[in-house]
Amino acid sequence: MNEENIDGINGCSKVRTGTQNEAALLALMEKTGYNMVQENGQRKFGGPPPGWEGPPPPRGCEVFVGKIPRDMYEDELVPVFERAGKIYEFRLMMEFSGENRGYAFVMYTTKEEAQLAIRILNNYEIRPGKFIGVCVSLDNCRLFIGAIPKEKKKEEILDEMKKVTEGVVDVIVYPSATDKTKNRGFAFVEYESHRAAAMARRKLIPGTFQLWGHTIQVDWADPEKEVDEETMQRVKVLYVRNLMISTTEETIKAEFNKFKPGAVERVKKLRDYAFVHFFNREDAVAAMSVMNGKFIDGASIEVTLAKPVNKESTWRQHLNGQISPNSENLIVFANKEESHPKTLGKPPTLPARLNGQHSPSPPEIERCTYPFFPGIKLTPISMYSLKSNHFNSAVMHLDYYCNKNNWAPPEYYLYSTTSQDGKVLLVYKIVIPAIANGSQSYFMPDKLCTTLEDAKELAAQFTLLHLDREHSLFSLDLYRRIWRK
């Protein structure tokens, strides 16, 4: 235990000794009837609570708590988190010195209690000037495996992963957008537990491990985002994936209207996936059952309910791989993976500022600055020696992408028109010289902007999304996300 700890949830200045701290924890255990044990760098309170019968709560019942003052412990934290509901288990990460590590995991008995904790305790002032962060926590059991030979089938990848790692449950592989007989060069491997996935990642992560003579790329797959049941009950849009590139919106609309003529309001297709909007939710649900697994233009499609995107998502999230020219504000159902590496079923959406009138205001970019003192030594470097997380714009990502592929820089061509109310509207056309003679000679979004900066960003985002996966030579860094378990 620490020799000195701060007493009181709101920062009382009374100092207590290690003995007093131990007494406070013992008093908490006596009052609640919960057990407490410390192991493997964490202290567990409960798990299960007194009188608990049956299995542990399901996934979605646990929240992550960050930015906890290092001298705050369970006797202060538990009463705060009990406000949201019954705690199944409270895990506080501990240092060898006895201080906590600044974060914890709280498992409630129901998903509703966990969601309430997020609503009432995220950004809660736990001490004067000290605000904690609370968000959903999921045990990630899925790894992203990149640089897989594209001719390998699901069964071959599954067999190989079972040979080299333990606890493999399934492998998720998607066909190439341009050649359905090949995979996209990556797969998702599902393990029986978070521990099994972590052990597999530890074995494969060094970068020297090879499959079929290829050095593979390994990282955690991004966790799926949760949407509450009440919201999902209002969804009347379907997400359709594994379409042929050549399939048109008109064909999709006609196919989905077959089961009930006139049921489809509109279709928005992007590359090999589409959003199908229905007038009524009942028709959407019925169409999902009828159309899932059907063939359109020779391709077997997958159909799920689309998932409303969190409109509070920040520009930074979009720049970490969630960029897309569509304005549908949707992500797909959580158990499906999208077409590019590491994402778990999320056709990404535009940042708020590029959705024009559909968003209230542009989010602020968080900038971390440090003082520049006289005498600090500066070293000239190239931007291409940096990692992609040093960039905050799609324009920079596109330039970085081209350089990493040994391509010439992208060429931007500006066009304008005038709106009915007299505003000048702008759009950029982008040409990638290295692939200009291929299947697509240029990239131009279907949205116009009122500012030069927005037009350029939108064009870069559109290009990044639509660059042929067959050309994709991104380093794994370009697909990294801000979340890590």
Side-chain angles (χ1 to χ4, degrees):
M1 290 289 178
N2 256 0
E3 286 300 314
E4 296 183 346
N5 294 282
I6 304 299
D7 189 24
I9 195 166
N10 289 315
C12 175
S13 61
K14 179 183 175 182
V15 176
R16 69 188 187 190
T17 64
T19 302
Q20 289 172 322
N21 185 54
E22 184 176 345
L25 295 177
L26 288 171
L28 175 67
M29 293 168 62
E30 197 169 307
K31 176 184 176 182
T32 61
Y34 282 65
N35 291 322
M36 188 180 293
V37 60
Q38 184 163 333
E39 59 182 8
N40 299 326
Q42 61 181 336
R43 195 157 61 199
K44 293 183 179 181
F45 173 80
W52 180 270
E53 295 182 2
R59 292 187 74 190
C61 293
E62 188 176 69
V63 299
F64 169 81
V65 186
K67 298 190 288 187
I68 299 172
R70 296 298 184 98
D71 54 2
M72 182 173 280
Y73 301 98
E74 292 89 345
D75 59 303
E76 303 177 60
L77 293 166
V78 167
V80 174
F81 285 89
E82 282 181 330
R83 298 176 190 177
K86 185 177 179 63
I87 293 175
Y88 176 85
E89 179 182 74
F90 189 103
R91 294 186 290 128
L92 183 62
M93 304 300 114
M94 302 296 294
E95 299 280 13
F96 182 75
S97 65
E99 284 189 326
N100 77 62
R101 296 171 64 185
Y103 65 99
F105 296 90
V106 186
M107 182 179 290
Y108 289 93
T109 57
T110 68
K111 292 182 180 181
E112 291 74 22
E113 292 170 333
Q115 289 299 318
L116 179 60
I118 294 170
R119 287 200 300 272
I120 68 175
L121 296 175
N122 185 37
N123 207 32
Y124 174 76
E125 190 171 12
I126 197 100
R127 284 182 177 165
K130 302 293 183 181
F131 298 86
I132 57 173
V134 182
C135 62
V136 70
S137 166
L138 295 174
D139 283 338
N140 202 350
C141 301
R142 187 170 292 172
L143 295 182
F144 160 77
I145 310 294
I148 291 175
K150 294 184 178 181
E151 67 276 5
K152 297 298 179 182
K153 306 298 182 184
K154 174 179 177 174
E155 294 73 20
E156 296 177 273
I157 299 171
L158 179 61
D159 290 343
E160 194 68 17
M161 293 307 299
K162 284 184 174 180
K163 289 178 186 177
V164 299
T165 61
E166 296 181 0
V168 176
V169 174
D170 193 18
V171 169
I172 300 160
V173 183
Y174 288 118
S176 167
T178 54
D179 184 350
K180 300 300 182 183
T181 65
K182 296 182 179 180
N183 70 64
R184 300 194 180 203
F186 63 88
F188 296 97
V189 184
E190 185 80 20
Y191 288 85
E192 62 187 13
S193 66
H194 177 72
R195 176 177 173 78
M199 295 300 291
R201 180 175 178 269
R202 184 178 301 178
K203 179 178 181 180
L204 302 175
I205 198 67
T208 57
F209 198 90
Q210 292 191 339
L211 291 178
W212 304 290
H214 290 72
T215 299
I216 59 172
Q217 299 169 322
V218 182
D219 206 343
W220 290 110
D222 285 347
E224 57 263 47
K225 293 184 177 181
E226 294 291 323
V227 173
D228 63 90
E229 191 64 28
E230 182 181 352
T231 301
M232 289 303 297
Q233 289 297 324
R234 298 194 297 267
V235 172
K236 54 182 181 179
V237 182
L238 297 182
Y239 170 71
V240 184
R241 69 172 314 279
N242 201 35
L243 293 161
M244 299 295 291
I245 295 287
S246 57
T247 299
T248 65
E249 292 179 353
E250 291 73 20
T251 298
I252 298 168
K253 186 173 183 178
E255 290 292 330
F256 276 82
N257 265 330
K258 280 182 178 179
F259 92 101
K260 183 177 180 180
V264 177
E265 177 187 2
R266 60 192 171 96
V267 174
K268 178 67 175 179
K269 181 175 184 282
L270 294 120
R271 195 167 172 79
D272 62 341
Y273 64 91
F275 295 106
V276 182
H277 297 247
F278 285 79
F279 289 104
N280 300 307
R281 172 178 167 79
E282 293 74 18
D283 292 338
V285 173
M288 178 174 64
S289 300
V290 171
M291 295 298 295
N292 188 39
K294 296 291 185 180
F295 284 82
I296 295 181
D297 290 345
S300 176
I301 61 171
E302 294 180 20
V303 185
T304 61
L305 281 173
K307 197 176 185 184
V309 79
N310 179 4
K311 293 185 179 180
E312 295 178 2
S313 296
T314 63
W315 175 219
R316 175 160 297 186
Q317 289 175 302
H318 294 289
L319 288 176
N320 279 274
Q322 294 175 269
I323 48 179
S324 163
N326 84 78
S327 58
E328 306 302 317
N329 291 326
L330 296 165
I331 54 179
V332 301
F333 205 42
N335 63 348
K336 298 296 179 184
E337 283 67 24
E338 212 327 72
S339 57
H340 59 77
K342 293 191 64 203
T343 60
L344 295 190
K346 297 175 288 189
T349 57
L350 267 178
R353 68 174 302 172
L354 295 178
N355 270 340
Q357 61 185 3
H358 300 291
S359 298
S361 61
E364 292 295 324
I365 301 297
E366 179 186 349
R367 290 182 172 84
C368 184
T369 60
Y370 294 83
F372 182 25
F373 297 111
I376 288 181
K377 183 179 179 181
L378 298 176
T379 304
I381 65 169
S382 166
M383 63 169 277
Y384 303 114
S385 67
L386 300 173
K387 293 185 177 180
S388 63
N389 58 9
H390 289 99
F391 308 135
N392 267 337
S393 79
V395 172
M396 295 300 292
H397 272 294
L398 181 58
D399 194 73
Y400 180 89
Y401 171 82
C402 290
N403 180 268
K404 288 299 180 183
N405 286 331
N406 296 314
W407 295 348
E411 298 174 359
Y412 291 81
Y413 298 90
L414 182 63
Y415 297 86
S416 72
T417 187
T418 304
S419 66
Q420 292 182 347
D421 58 359
K423 288 183 180 178
V424 175
L425 302 178
L426 306 171
V427 65
Y428 270 99
K429 178 176 76 175
I430 296 181
V431 174
I432 310 291
I435 60 173
N437 295 324
S439 59
Q440 188 160 358
S441 58
Y442 68 88
F443 302 89
M444 181 182 286
D446 59 359
K447 300 273 189 297
L448 300 166
C449 299
T450 57
T451 70
L452 198 65
E453 293 84 356
D454 285 355
K456 197 166 188 178
E457 280 293 290
L458 179 58
Q461 290 175 52
F462 183 87
T463 304
L464 282 169
L465 179 72
H466 285 78
L467 277 172
D468 196 328
R469 306 301 181 204
E470 305 304 320
H471 296 299
S472 181
L473 299 175
F474 274 121
S475 70
L476 190 59
D477 285 336
L478 270 174
Y479 296 112
R480 297 206 179 277
R481 301 283 192 266
I482 57 176
W483 184 93
R484 287 292 181 270
K485 176 74 174 175

